[in-house]
C-alpha cells in the first residue's frame, strides 16, 4: 500500500517485546511438543489450533468449511520429505512454505516499497541442494544451530557476528494492540462488524481481545490476523477504495484510547 503513515511507527527496540512472546512459545511447546513431527510443526507455526477455530467459527461458517483443513498443504510437504532425516525434513517444509511464501515475499515487497534491491545469496539453489544432503548432526550440535555454517565461516567472520543472538523483524504487536491500535480494533473487530461478516462468533473475538488487554494471554498474532482479514475483506470483497479504507484507519487511530 502507498501510505503506511496510518500505522504506529515506534521502533521495536523502543518496546519490550520478549516477555509475553517467550511465555507464548513455552506454552505452545508444552502443549504440542509430544505430537508427531508434522502436527507439532503445524501447531507451532499456526495461529489457531483446531479447537480454537471450532470455538471461534460461527455455526454457519463452520458448516461451510467442514471437511476442509488449512494444514493439508503443509502435511503434503511433510509427506514429500518423508525420506529425509527430521532436521532436513523440517528444513524441506520450511523451504517450500515459510521461506518462499513469507520471508522472501515480504522482504521483496518491503524492500521494493522503499526502493531497495535486496539479494539473498544463501538461497542459491546449489547451496540449498548441498544443505539438504548435509547430515542433521552437522546442522544442529546440541543446542548450537547452523553448526556447519558457523564452522565454515569461523576464520572469515568475527566471533561477535557468528554468535550474535538472532534478531527477527517482528513488530511489537502485543504492545501496539494494547496501545496505539486499540481504536482500530474497536472499529474493525466490533461485534456488529463480526456478526455481519458471519465468519466468527462476536463473543469469541471479544474474548481474544479482552484476554490480551488484561495480560491473561498473548493473543497478539491472532488479533492481528483477524484485523488483516477484515482489511482484506474491505478491499477485495466490499470493493472499498484503498484511499477510503486508509482514511477510515487514520480517523480511528486519531481517536483517544480508552
Amino acid at each position: 500500500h502507498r501510505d503506511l503513515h496510518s500505522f504506529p511507527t515506534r521502533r521495536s527496540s523502543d518496546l519490550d517485546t520478549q516477555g509475553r512472546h517467550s511465555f507464548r512459545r513455552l506454552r505452545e511447546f508444552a502443549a504440542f511438543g509430544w505430537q508427531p513431527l508434522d502436527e507439532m510443526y503445524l501447531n507451532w507455526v499456526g495461529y489457531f489450533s483446531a479447537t480454537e477455530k471450532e470455538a471461534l467459527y460461527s455455526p454457519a461458517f463452520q458448516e461451510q468449511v467442514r471437511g476442509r483443513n488449512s494444514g493439508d498443504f503443509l502435511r503434503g510437504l511433510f509427506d514429500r520429505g518423508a525420506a529425509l532425516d527430521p532436521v532436513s525434513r523440517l528444513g524441506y517444509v520450511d523451504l517450500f512454505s515459510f521461506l518462499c511464501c513469507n520471508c522472501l515475499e515480504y522482504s521483496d515487497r518491503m524492500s521494493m516499497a522503499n526502493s531497495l534491491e535486496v539479494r539473498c545469496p544463501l538461497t542459491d539453489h546449489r547451496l540449498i541442494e548441498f544443505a539438504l544432503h548435509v547430515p542433521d548432526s552437522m546442522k544442529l550440535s546440541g543446542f548450537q544451530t547452523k553448526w556447519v555454517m558457523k564452522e565454515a565461516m569461523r576464520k572469515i567472520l568475527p566471533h561477535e557476528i557468528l554468535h550474535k543472538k538472532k534478531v527477527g523483524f517482528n513488530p511489537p504487536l502485543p504492545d501496539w494492540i494494547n496501545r496505539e491500535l486499540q481504536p482500530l480494533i474497536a472499529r474493525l473487530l466490533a461485534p456488529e462488524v463480526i456478526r455481519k461478516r458471519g465468519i466468527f462468533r462476536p463473543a469469541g473475538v471479544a474474548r481474544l481481545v479482552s484476554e490480551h488487554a488484561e495480560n491473561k494471554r498473548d493473543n497478539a498474532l491472532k488479533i492481528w490476523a483477524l484485523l488483516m482479514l477484515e482489511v482484506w475483506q474491505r478491499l477485495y470483497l466490499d470493493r472499498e477504495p484503498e484511499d477510503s479504507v486508509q482514511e477510515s484507519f487514520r480517523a480511528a487511530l486519531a481517536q483517544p484510547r480508552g
Side-chain angles (χ1 to χ4, degrees):
H1 299 295
R2 295 188 300 273
D3 185 1
L4 298 177
H5 298 295
S6 302
F7 291 91
T9 56
R10 206 181 300 185
R11 295 175 300 168
S12 298
S13 58
D14 294 334
L15 295 168
D16 178 14
T17 63
Q18 295 303 313
R20 289 204 283 177
H21 173 79
S22 300
F23 278 121
R24 176 172 57 81
R25 280 310 196 189
L26 283 171
R27 185 182 71 235
E28 290 169 349
F29 183 80
F32 308 122
W34 57 272
Q35 294 180 325
L37 188 64
D38 55 347
E39 295 303 316
M40 180 178 65
Y41 181 92
L42 282 168
N43 282 303
W44 184 258
V45 302
Y47 289 176
F48 297 91
S49 68
T51 303
E52 289 172 327
K53 289 178 185 177
E54 189 173 344
L56 194 60
Y57 289 166
S58 69
F61 184 72
Q62 202 168 91
E63 189 60 36
Q64 283 183 317
V65 298
R66 194 175 301 281
R68 302 179 185 180
N69 194 306
S70 58
D72 287 345
F73 166 64
L74 291 176
R75 290 190 184 93
L77 293 176
F78 271 99
D79 289 342
R80 282 165 50 184
L84 299 170
D85 62 68
V87 174
S88 295
R89 193 181 183 195
L90 289 169
Y92 178 85
V93 174
D94 264 351
L95 177 64
F96 287 99
S97 57
F98 185 64
L99 178 66
C100 57
C101 301
N102 185 298
C103 300
L104 294 179
E105 181 178 349
Y106 287 2
S107 63
D108 183 60
R109 288 185 180 186
M110 295 303 101
S111 60
M112 288 299 180
N114 290 278
S115 302
L116 295 174
E117 272 303 327
V118 173
R119 292 290 178 264
C120 305
L122 296 182
T123 59
D124 184 284
H125 72 92
R126 292 163 294 186
L127 183 58
I128 290 176
E129 289 164 5
F130 169 76
L132 286 173
H133 289 84
V134 172
D136 61 352
S137 59
M138 296 181 69
K139 298 173 186 174
L140 185 64
S141 179
F143 292 102
Q144 172 91 28
T145 59
K146 306 182 181 73
W147 182 85
V148 68
M149 182 179 181
K150 290 176 180 177
E151 286 298 308
M153 295 289 106
R154 190 167 298 281
K155 294 182 179 180
I156 300 173
L157 296 175
H159 181 273
E160 57 268 24
I161 297 297
L162 279 176
H163 298 279
K164 184 178 180 181
K165 184 178 178 180
K166 183 177 179 179
V167 179
F169 295 101
N170 292 330
L173 285 181
D175 296 277
W176 280 359
I177 287 170
N178 276 349
R179 299 178 188 179
E180 291 93 336
L181 292 180
Q182 273 189 359
L184 197 61
I185 292 168
R187 176 174 294 194
L188 297 189
L189 300 183
E192 61 270 19
V193 173
I194 300 300
R195 193 175 294 108
K196 183 178 178 182
R197 292 291 181 198
I199 299 175
F200 306 115
R201 302 174 195 259
V205 175
R207 178 179 52 79
L208 290 175
V209 175
S210 64
E211 282 180 348
H212 188 88
E214 295 167 10
N215 289 316
K216 292 180 178 178
R217 201 176 184 92
D218 181 5
N219 289 328
L221 294 176
K222 297 181 173 113
I223 296 169
W224 182 258
L226 295 175
L227 274 176
M228 293 304 103
L229 177 60
E230 176 58 25
V231 171
W232 182 86
Q233 289 179 114
R234 292 186 180 212
L235 288 170
Y236 297 102
L237 297 185
D238 302 342
R239 300 291 182 180
E240 284 189 36
E242 182 179 329
D243 291 342
S244 173
V245 173
Q246 291 181 350
E247 183 55 40
S248 69
F249 293 170
R250 279 191 287 269
L253 291 169
Q255 294 177 5
R257 299 195 300 272

